[in-house]
């Protein structure tokens, strides 16, 4: 478990990445046995990590106290991205039910969003909660393209959009409607901008494979200027997250790519499987948990998440 795993390692492309890794840090494979891992989310109070295994229609739970992995929820409605809200409750994107849900303290599941303008959503993919409690999520069609990661269906929406759910009224608005396949989603530290990956190249090689930066307007609810933050040099960017110093750690086909605030690639963590998502966890939030196709990986870093 603690030995060097073939195909893992670090690539330092800029000296500033040196402080991001530790001298003895090694990538560990914590568990394997999934078909497509996604949606990592860390529960600090319970010292466990939840993640999705989409094609197997289940959510898994890795326990930090003994390293065990168990099925947390099955069936999971082909859950994908997960996050926590401000009260520490689980927020989940579900492909099969084409909705975003909240798991309440008693275990009941509440639907937060399943339609927009009286039409069903496509298949919510990834989700983030802003400091005002609003819930922002992406809605590409991956869960309705076939029966593998959900159920095949015709889209009802006129595109694949990014949505915001107001914390007070529950009102759903489309905040970005010019994506091909919006996917990973996160705010930078001061929430001055929303970052969203576009995996449009998954079904059209000429399609986008980048992360976009969308400035938040002063109202904190709508988006303004959009620029391309970074293009992916290894497959596609799926899920990603920020560290405390606003670097982006993103999934790619060859592992994790780390970007400085200005969008230049400063280093890589090589993983022997395609990575779909990742999050910081552990008591000090200095451990990166990585969903890599069939396996869950982790590595201690020299920097912390939040
Ligand atoms: Mg995703």
């Amino acid at each position: 478990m603690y030995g060097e795993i073939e195909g893992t390692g670090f690539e330092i492309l800029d000296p500033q990445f040196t402080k991001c890794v530790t001298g003895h840090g090694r990538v560990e494979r914590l568990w394997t046995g999934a078909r497509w891992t996604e949606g990592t989310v860390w529960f600090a109070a319970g010292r466990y990590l939840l993640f999705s295994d989409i094609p197997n229609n289940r959510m898994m739970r890795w326990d930090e106290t003994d390293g065990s992995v168990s099925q947390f929820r099955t069936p999971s409605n082909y859950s994908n991205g997960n996050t926590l809200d401000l009260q520490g409750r689980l927020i989940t994107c579900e492909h099969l039910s084409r909705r975003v849900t909240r798991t309440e303290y008693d275990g009941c599941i509440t639907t937060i969003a399943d339609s927009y303008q009286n039409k069903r959503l496509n298949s919510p993919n990834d989700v983030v909660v802003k400091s005002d409690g609003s819930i922002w999520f992406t809605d590409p069609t991956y869960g309705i393209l076939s029966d593998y990661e959900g159920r095949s269906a015709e889209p009802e929406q006129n595109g694949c959009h990014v949505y915001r759910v107001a914390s007070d009224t529950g009102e759903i608005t489309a905040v970005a409607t010019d994506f091909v396949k919006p996917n990973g989603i996160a705010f930078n530290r001061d929430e001055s901008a929303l970052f969203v990956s576009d995996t449009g190249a998954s079904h059209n090689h000429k399609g986008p494979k980048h992360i976009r930066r969308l400035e938040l307007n002063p109202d904190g609810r709508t988006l303004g200027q959009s620029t391309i933050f970074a293009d992916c040099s290894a497959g596609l960017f799926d899920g990603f997250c920020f560290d405390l110093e606003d670097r982006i750690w993103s999934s790619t086909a060859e592992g994790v790519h780390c970007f400085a605030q200005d969008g230049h690639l400063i280093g890589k963590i090589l993983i022997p499987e395609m990575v779909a998502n990742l999050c910081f966890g552990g008591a000090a939030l200095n451990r990166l948990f990585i969903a890599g196709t069939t396996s869950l990986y982790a590595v201690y870093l020299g920097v912390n998440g939040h």
Side-chain angles (χ1 to χ4, degrees):
M1 179 172 170
Y2 295 102
E4 190 97 42
I5 299 171
E6 193 177 340
T8 65
F10 300 102
E11 275 187 26
I12 295 173
L13 304 173
D14 183 301
Q16 64 179 290
F17 191 63
T18 308
K19 68 169 271 196
C20 297
V21 298
T22 62
H24 302 291
R26 295 289 181 273
V27 175
E28 301 165 46
R29 185 184 286 117
L30 300 180
W31 177 79
T32 191
R35 285 208 159 85
W36 184 254
T37 52
E38 248 284 5
T40 45
V41 59
W42 174 249
F43 285 75
R47 295 182 60 193
Y48 61 87
L49 181 94
L50 296 185
F51 57 101
S52 299
D53 176 5
I54 303 177
N56 283 324
N57 196 11
R58 60 182 180 169
M59 284 179 72
M60 310 302 291
R61 178 185 186 277
W62 174 82
D63 190 325
E64 189 188 40
T65 66
D66 63 1
S68 64
V69 171
S70 55
Q71 293 194 138
F72 171 78
R73 176 179 294 165
T74 181
S76 63
N77 291 326
Y78 293 83
S79 69
N80 190 336
N82 296 290
T83 194
L84 297 177
D85 71 5
L86 303 183
Q87 290 76 35
R89 296 169 296 192
L90 172 65
I91 307 291
T92 299
C93 296
E94 297 181 355
H95 282 181
L96 183 66
S97 40
R98 299 165 69 171
R99 63 179 182 167
V100 178
T101 66
R102 178 175 59 234
T103 302
E104 309 292 352
Y105 296 127
D106 64 2
C108 291
I109 293 175
T110 302
T111 298
I112 291 170
D114 61 2
S115 64
Y116 175 66
Q117 295 183 333
N118 296 316
K119 298 179 187 125
R120 296 188 76 186
L121 297 172
N122 296 321
S123 52
N125 188 291
D126 215 343
V127 59
V128 67
V129 175
K130 193 167 173 281
S131 63
D132 64 1
S134 57
I135 296 168
W136 302 60
F137 66 93
T138 56
D139 187 42
T141 49
Y142 295 116
I144 56 173
L145 291 176
S146 74
D147 296 334
Y148 184 58
E149 293 189 314
R151 279 295 173 273
S152 179
E154 283 299 313
E156 297 181 21
Q157 298 296 330
N158 62 3
C160 299
H161 305 321
V162 182
Y163 295 94
R164 173 188 185 270
V165 184
S167 60
D168 46 1
T169 62
E171 183 192 7
I172 303 168
T173 51
V175 290
T177 57
D178 59 348
F179 278 81
V180 179
K181 292 275 190 287
N183 203 316
I185 184 168
F187 287 99
N188 60 357
R189 281 282 287 148
D190 66 4
E191 298 182 335
S192 59
L194 178 72
F195 290 69
V196 181
S197 64
D198 196 329
T199 48
S202 63
H203 289 74
N204 176 353
H205 72 280
K206 289 182 182 162
K209 51 187 181 84
H210 54 225
I211 293 173
R212 275 165 58 182
R213 175 189 170 112
L214 302 109
E215 307 300 326
L216 240 74
N217 290 326
D219 62 12
R221 302 195 312 263
T222 58
L223 300 170
Q225 188 190 2
S226 167
T227 51
I228 293 175
F229 172 76
D231 265 305
C232 193
S233 58
L236 303 168
F237 295 131
D238 196 333
F240 57 91
C241 62
F242 282 88
D243 68 24
L244 267 181
E245 292 162 339
D246 251 351
R247 284 175 286 266
I248 282 187
W249 299 76
S250 181
S251 59
T252 74
E254 66 177 5
V256 179
H257 286 187
C258 181
F259 294 89
Q261 283 186 39
D262 65 1
H264 88 273
L265 181 62
I266 61 171
K268 301 178 181 181
I269 305 171
L270 300 177
I271 301 288
E273 300 184 81
M274 191 180 292
V275 173
N277 221 325
L278 66 177
C279 73
F280 284 92
L285 294 177
N286 64 340
R287 195 176 192 187
L288 196 63
F289 290 92
I290 299 163
T293 308
T294 66
S295 308
L296 176 67
Y297 298 87
V299 60
Y300 282 100
L301 297 175
V303 294
N304 306 68
H306 59 93

